[in-house]
Amino acid sequence: MSLPSIGDILMLSQLAWKIGRAFTAGRKGAPAEFLDVETAINGLAKALKLLAETLFAEADNGVLSKADNDTKSGVATILLSCQRTLQDLDSLLDQYQVITKQRTSGGFTIERSWSDLVLATYQTMMWTSEGGNIQALRNMVNMHTSTIALTMQASKSLSRLESTVSPMASKVDDIRDTGGDLNDKLEEVHRVVVGINGETPRIPPARDGGDDSRPPSSLRLDTRQQDNRSPESFTTA
């Protein structure tokens, strides 16, 4: 399993940012659960952006490039799991959101909103490919944020990175296995994260002190030395 590039991680951050903005689109009175998921996804977008920034800033030191194969594979596993969740959500948005044109004084605006079917059944419908409900989706997103934030924090020390990533990746990988309760698996990841870090990782403020609501594409990173693979490129060895 190949390591993702900085560009791959930024693409995931952009996707998360887009999904977060779309989740409560078109409904001022969106259900509280939708607002919770939106907040969680925005946190994930920020964690991915900060991971990309950290790897870029540490490029000369190259801690991740010096890590053993198990650690590199673990980082890829953590990011691949996040990618799958975001892609599943993106597909769900395309399937269940309605796009309408609204006439304005200057022409038209395009608006997205959830279908009436979703608003009527969101508490009982499946929101994850593992069959989880909307609370499980929020917990899944928070799990991705925690594991990515802890990976970022550990990436400045080779020994810490190698001791941190593999235990998390093993539990993250178990989530995709059939059988077992999804919430129990997510709780197990949380226990591992807290066991390593002592608490749920906190996401630090943006490095540039800028507005976290802006899209991750506004980062001024020179990724010309990175290859231009799509996120799908790190799904296989």
Side-chain angles (χ1 to χ4, degrees):
M1 187 180 297
S2 301
L3 273 173
S5 69
I6 292 174
D8 293 332
I9 299 169
L10 281 176
M11 287 176 67
L12 289 182
S13 183
Q14 290 167 9
L15 179 58
W17 185 83
K18 184 192 82 170
I19 292 170
R21 285 180 61 86
F23 214 85
T24 55
R27 295 279 177 166
K28 292 183 179 179
E33 292 91 340
F34 283 27
L35 297 174
D36 289 342
V37 172
E38 179 189 33
T39 299
I41 294 173
N42 288 340
L44 176 57
K46 182 179 178 182
L48 286 162
K49 173 184 171 183
L50 290 174
L51 176 61
E53 287 180 331
T54 299
L55 293 179
F56 182 76
E58 300 293 327
D60 291 338
N61 187 25
V63 169
L64 185 55
S65 65
K66 297 175 184 176
D68 58 36
N69 289 335
D70 285 345
T71 300
K72 292 177 181 178
S73 179
V75 172
T77 294
I78 289 168
L79 289 169
L80 173 58
S81 180
C82 175
Q83 178 198 36
R84 287 174 174 167
T85 297
L86 290 174
Q87 288 180 339
D88 288 345
L89 267 179
D90 196 35
S91 296
L92 190 146
L93 288 173
D94 288 340
Q95 184 175 359
Y96 290 113
Q97 283 200 334
V98 178
I99 299 176
T100 58
K101 283 185 177 181
Q102 299 291 334
R103 186 181 294 275
T104 66
S105 58
F108 293 92
T109 60
I110 303 297
E111 294 185 357
R112 300 179 67 115
S113 61
W114 289 105
S115 68
D116 291 338
L117 175 64
V118 170
L119 294 173
T121 63
Y122 73 90
Q123 291 180 318
T124 57
M125 67 182 283
M126 292 189 300
W127 287 89
T128 75
S129 58
E130 297 79 17
N133 60 17
I134 195 164
Q135 287 80 18
L137 171 62
R138 181 197 61 198
N139 293 339
M140 177 85 83
V141 173
N142 285 334
M143 179 274 293
H144 292 312
T145 302
S146 294
T147 55
I148 289 167
L150 192 51
T151 299
M152 176 196 67
Q153 293 172 15
S155 65
K156 297 181 180 181
S157 164
L158 181 59
S159 60
R160 186 183 178 195
L161 184 67
E162 291 181 342
S163 64
T164 296
V165 168
S166 292
M168 290 194 301
S170 175
K171 296 301 180 182
V172 169
D173 201 33
D174 288 345
I175 291 173
R176 301 293 173 179
D177 292 341
T178 57
D181 183 79
L182 175 59
N183 287 315
D184 288 345
K185 293 179 180 180
L186 293 173
E187 180 60 29
E188 183 61 27
V189 177
H190 178 69
R191 282 196 290 268
V192 170
V193 169
V194 172
I196 294 171
N197 196 55
E199 62 179 354
T200 301
R202 300 178 185 274
I203 304 175
R207 289 174 180 269
D208 56 9
D211 182 2
D212 290 330
S213 65
R214 67 183 183 177
S217 57
S218 61
L219 284 174
R220 294 182 178 179
L221 298 183
D222 182 0
T223 57
R224 288 174 295 179
Q225 299 302 315
Q226 301 289 332
D227 55 41
N228 293 320
R229 298 171 298 160
S230 66
E232 288 81 359
S233 63
F234 60 90
T235 62
T236 58

